[in-house]
Amino acid sequence: MVVQDRRGGTVAAAVACGTGLMAGLLATAGCSPDGAAADDQVVPGQVAAAVQLRRSAEALVRAGTAKLRTAMETVSGGTRVAIRGAGGYDFASASGQLRVVLPDLKGKPSGGHQPITEILAPGALFMKNRGAGVPADKWVRVDTATLSDGNLVTGGVTDPLAAAELLRGAREVTYQGEERLGGVLVRHYRGTTDLAVAAGVASARSKPALVAAEKGFTTVVVPFDAYVDTAGRLRKLRQRFRFANGVPQGAAVVSTTELYGFGTKVVVRLPDRRDIYTGKIASAPS
């Protein structure tokens, strides 16, 4: 993995939830997370499985790099939208790059938008082809610690290391059996994770994002399904978030991350300062 830090600048305009892809694409999706309810009783027989999941982030760091596919689906008021991405990630540097495809909301491919390039980096999210008045050759930089969800859902992609670190608060874990993903034998676990606990014990790289999310979510319990290979590495992780959203039913967000091709070379080049857009950012892609 090679990360070339060109010290990109920050966005001068205030960055609010409207900058995020999920908020921009689903008009009814608000910025105030309400979490997902779950029983917080711990069953002693689940301890071994929970311990393995709490260590899954360390297993990924040992693996070095991986290819990834992501999917994020939001349902609110009977409207469903999905954002999908693919790319590579380096767990040692907590950096990755993805090509993100927006949903078809207008009967056009990718909803009438060009695919967005996203760079995930410690403390920052960079987006190119962001739209909403941003020049096509410029990047938008978002400080993830300023987002109410720590960028767990705002960017339409959950950072895979942050997603794994979130499992440090795993509890109520049950073993669902063995399955095969892409020809690889995996163990399927289901449970909930406590965001506050995870934020308290997260690594220095993921802590700011999880602390921000812990403060932003009114309920810190996140249900999940995790698929782990024999080396303890996450192969697939599905996490479920719920937002109050100002409507009785709220909004449900399901984020799925699939990891494969461990050891693949991944090169991430952070944008140069002069390539960072510093103008006004509209609330939604146009």
Side-chain angles (χ1 to χ4, degrees):
M1 164 66 188
V2 178
V3 177
Q4 300 174 350
D5 188 348
R6 302 298 297 277
R7 298 186 179 278
T10 58
V11 177
V15 179
C17 254
T19 304
L21 298 183
M22 296 307 293
L25 289 166
L26 185 60
T28 56
C31 298
S32 300
D34 187 36
D39 185 353
D40 60 3
Q41 297 299 312
V42 177
V43 178
Q46 302 167 350
V47 172
V51 169
Q52 181 182 29
L53 292 177
R54 290 169 190 162
R55 295 173 176 170
S56 59
E58 298 165 14
L60 291 177
V61 172
R62 289 194 299 270
T65 62
K67 294 181 179 179
L68 72 153
R69 288 185 291 265
T70 66
M72 189 170 289
E73 297 185 353
T74 299
V75 179
S76 179
T79 301
R80 179 188 297 270
V81 296
I83 296 175
R84 305 194 182 278
Y89 196 90
D90 184 296
F91 294 96
S93 63
S95 301
Q97 183 165 318
L98 300 94
R99 181 177 183 271
V100 179
V101 179
L102 305 184
D104 184 353
L105 299 179
K106 302 177 181 179
K108 301 177 182 179
S110 299
H113 301 284
Q114 292 293 323
I116 293 175
T117 300
E118 291 195 7
I119 292 178
L120 308 174
L125 165 67
F126 298 89
M127 295 182 287
K128 193 173 185 180
N129 289 332
R130 168 62 177 80
V134 179
D137 61 340
K138 295 293 184 180
W139 293 83
V140 171
R141 183 189 188 279
V142 180
D143 181 353
T144 54
T146 67
L147 299 172
S148 63
D149 69 330
N151 195 37
L152 291 179
V153 300
T154 294
V157 172
T158 301
D159 183 297
L161 182 58
E165 293 262 19
L166 188 52
L167 293 181
R168 292 188 185 277
R171 60 187 186 181
E172 298 180 311
V173 179
T174 59
Y175 178 54
Q176 303 296 305
E178 292 185 340
E179 301 181 25
R180 285 195 174 273
L181 290 176
V184 176
L185 185 67
V186 296
R187 301 184 183 94
H188 178 190
Y189 297 99
R190 179 171 294 160
T192 61
T193 189
D194 187 306
L195 183 51
V197 172
V201 297
S203 69
R205 291 165 297 196
S206 299
K207 183 179 287 290
L210 295 188
V211 168
E214 186 269 328
K215 293 178 180 178
F217 281 70
T218 57
T219 301
V220 295
V221 178
V222 179
F224 68 83
D225 281 86
Y227 302 79
V228 183
D229 65 19
T230 56
R233 302 172 301 194
L234 284 167
R235 290 284 180 160
K236 183 177 180 179
L237 178 60
R238 181 181 296 113
Q239 295 166 318
R240 301 169 182 83
F241 305 90
R242 182 168 292 277
F243 296 78
N245 214 36
V247 296
Q249 298 82 6
V253 180
V254 179
S255 176
T256 303
T257 303
E258 296 183 57
L259 299 168
Y260 62 103
F262 290 102
T264 300
K265 183 178 180 180
V266 177
V267 178
V268 179
R269 181 176 179 270
L270 301 187
D272 190 276
R273 181 188 296 273
R274 64 177 177 271
D275 295 324
I276 303 296
Y277 180 67
T278 58
K280 182 178 180 180
I281 302 172
S283 61
S286 59

